[in-house]
Amino acid sequence: MAETPKALEKIRQINAGFPYTDPIKAWKERGGKVVAWTCTYVPEEVLWAGGLLPVRMTGDSHELELEDANAYLYINTCSFQRACLQLTLNKQYDFLDGYVSAATCDGSRRLADVWRNYIHHIPLIYVLTVPRKTSERAHQLYLSEVKEMKQKVEEAFNIKITDDALHQAIKLYNHTRELLKQLYEMRKREKPPVTGAETLEIINAAFRMPRDEYNKLLEELMKELNDSKREVTGKVRLLISGSPLNNPDFIMTIENEGGLVVADELCMGTRYWWDPVDEKSYSDPLEAISRRYLDNFPCARMVPCDERFERILALTKDYKVEGMVAEIIRYCVPYAHDEPMLRERLESKGIPVLELDLEYGVSGSGQIRTRAQAFIEMILDRRG
């Protein structure tokens, strides 16, 4: 494989400063405000249009001691939410000026409750209600929620979010989606130019810097990849599905055993960027934004589950996937509930599934390596 692209090295330098990265520091030094969000159903465009920097709140890319967080959240709250709270209690998110969550699971709601009732140091804490369906009534409800979110943001920061600013934000974020689509198209190749672990690093940076700067970095990366002869090889083409995952080492562990992760169904991957905002069909930019976020590649919480399953099956076909790895964080109820039904559909198409029940942040444990190795060998044996 050819040398690491310079743009990817820059991305690694940015990610190394998590959570208070150098681009966020520079934004704050210029007097800018930073608002965190935790769920992909929170429309970033609304925050950006208000002159705010949206950053995604996550835990670290390794497993944390969660003793402080466990004092506030039940132990059967998923370790992703508890890791976010632990970093907050450790004052590593003290640079934030606001926090917007979505009521997509109990853990997400409880994290906002703890922040509101016990931490108190920011002017904006808002929880966005998200319907579980995509009917017309659901769309109207969600649009009203997005409008209320906009109002709360304006009040908290004494700003005005204009339609023109929203249109500009839509164009900016749609450009990100176009660039990430190009990156993922490259992963369809027999020998793609990036690994699955590198792809996760690239998307992690999207959550940790201003979007215009990120787009320039992505453009630089795409040019380097297009101009290079970089090729990644693996024994078996895999798709990763499941709970929140921002730990590249987890994917690297699987790839070191001979897997090649060419696609994903993750809220920190495909489900984050897949569908663009329709810039032409709606005169109201808020409606265009809300339609996109509710209709986007569905989370496991959405009902019915058929659209999500069909999209995953389409990914397996388009990316020539030979097996799926399901990483389910313990107590992540939506994904644990859906997994047996998804496994049945995939196996009916001849695609085996490796289920990994783990804690958020776990990466290269011996058990994961052993199970990944056995899974890859099983697929190779099937080939004959």
Side-chain angles (χ1 to χ4, degrees), residues 25-42:
K25 289 178 183 176
W27 182 277
K28 292 285 287 188
E29 288 169 0
R30 295 194 295 269
K33 302 294 185 182
V34 179
V35 177
W37 56 276
T38 51
C39 176
T40 53
Y41 286 91
V42 174

Side-chain angles (χ1 to χ4, degrees), residues 150-214:
K150 171 179 173 286
Q151 179 184 341
K152 296 295 184 183
V153 170
E154 290 174 327
E155 292 172 355
F157 297 103
N158 193 27
I159 57 175
K160 179 64 177 176
I161 299 173
T162 65
D163 283 359
D164 183 61
L166 287 167
H167 283 298
Q168 293 303 314
I170 289 170
K171 292 182 183 299
L172 184 69
Y173 277 76
N174 272 354
H175 187 44
T176 304
R177 295 168 184 129
E178 292 168 3
L179 292 166
L180 289 174
K181 181 68 172 177
Q182 293 173 28
L183 177 67
Y184 272 63
E185 284 294 313
M186 290 180 172
R187 300 175 74 195
K188 292 180 179 179
R189 300 175 187 172
E190 181 180 352
K191 296 179 181 179
V194 291
T195 68
E198 290 170 341
T199 301
L200 192 56
E201 291 181 90
I202 292 164
I203 296 181
N204 276 344
F207 309 140
R208 302 166 179 175
M209 62 189 300
R211 186 48 50 102
D212 51 353
E213 296 176 22
Y214 179 68

Side-chain angles (χ1 to χ4, degrees), residues 7-25 58-62 87 92 95 200-209 217 246 248-249:
L8 182 54
E9 291 177 352
K10 293 177 184 177
I11 283 170
R12 286 176 174 162
Q13 291 172 2
I14 290 168
N15 287 335
F18 172 85
Y20 198 21
T21 63
D22 287 341
I24 298 174
K25 289 178 183 176
T58 67
D60 212 338
S61 58
H62 59 266
L87 292 181
Q92 290 181 257
F95 60 87
L200 192 56
E201 291 181 90
I202 292 164
I203 296 181
N204 276 344
F207 309 140
R208 302 166 179 175
M209 62 189 300
L217 198 51
N246 64 296
D249 287 344

Side-chain angles (χ1 to χ4, degrees), residues 62-162:
H62 59 266
E63 196 170 3
L64 299 173
E65 292 292 334
L66 302 176
E67 291 183 5
D68 296 328
N70 291 342
Y72 291 89
L73 292 173
Y74 286 120
I75 196 69
N76 61 354
T77 303
C78 80
S79 48
F80 170 69
Q81 302 292 348
R82 286 183 284 137
C84 291
L85 178 58
Q86 185 66 47
L87 292 181
T88 303
L89 295 170
N90 291 346
K91 300 188 181 301
Q92 290 181 257
Y93 276 117
D94 273 7
F95 60 87
L96 294 177
D97 301 289
Y99 171 59
V100 179
S101 180
T104 46
C105 69
D106 286 341
S108 181
R109 287 193 292 263
R110 297 295 80 78
L111 177 59
D113 289 342
V114 169
W115 205 325
R116 183 182 295 110
N117 291 310
Y118 296 102
I119 301 175
H120 303 296
H121 74 275
I122 50 179
L124 174 69
I125 300 174
Y126 184 74
V127 179
L128 184 76
T129 294
V130 181
R132 297 184 67 205
K133 300 180 180 180
T134 57
S135 65
E136 187 57 34
R137 289 180 64 190
H139 273 292
Q140 293 307 313
L141 171 60
Y142 183 65
L143 174 58
S144 69
E145 284 291 312
V146 172
K147 287 180 177 179
E148 183 176 335
M149 170 190 155
K150 171 179 173 286
Q151 179 184 341
K152 296 295 184 183
V153 170
E154 290 174 327
E155 292 172 355
F157 297 103
N158 193 27
I159 57 175
K160 179 64 177 176
I161 299 173
T162 65

Side-chain angles (χ1 to χ4, degrees), residues 300-370:
R301 73 181 293 276
M302 302 299 283
V303 293
C305 57
D306 300 272
E307 182 183 350
R308 175 172 167 261
F309 291 170
E310 289 303 316
R311 288 211 191 195
I312 293 171
L313 287 169
L315 287 175
T316 63
K317 182 179 179 181
D318 292 344
Y319 289 83
K320 298 180 174 62
V321 169
E322 300 171 275
M324 189 187 88
V325 177
E327 61 90 26
I328 311 295
I329 298 173
R330 291 181 189 126
Y331 309 117
C332 182
V333 175
Y335 280 90
H337 180 272
D338 265 15
E339 178 53 31
M341 295 182 288
L342 175 58
R343 183 182 67 243
E344 182 179 356
R345 294 203 184 192
L346 288 168
E347 289 180 346
S348 71
K349 301 293 185 181
I351 300 171
V353 177
L354 171 62
E355 296 176 346
L356 296 175
D357 177 38
L358 39 76
E359 297 290 359
Y360 174 76
V362 167
S363 54
S365 71
Q367 184 183 35
I368 291 174
R369 286 197 300 271
T370 300

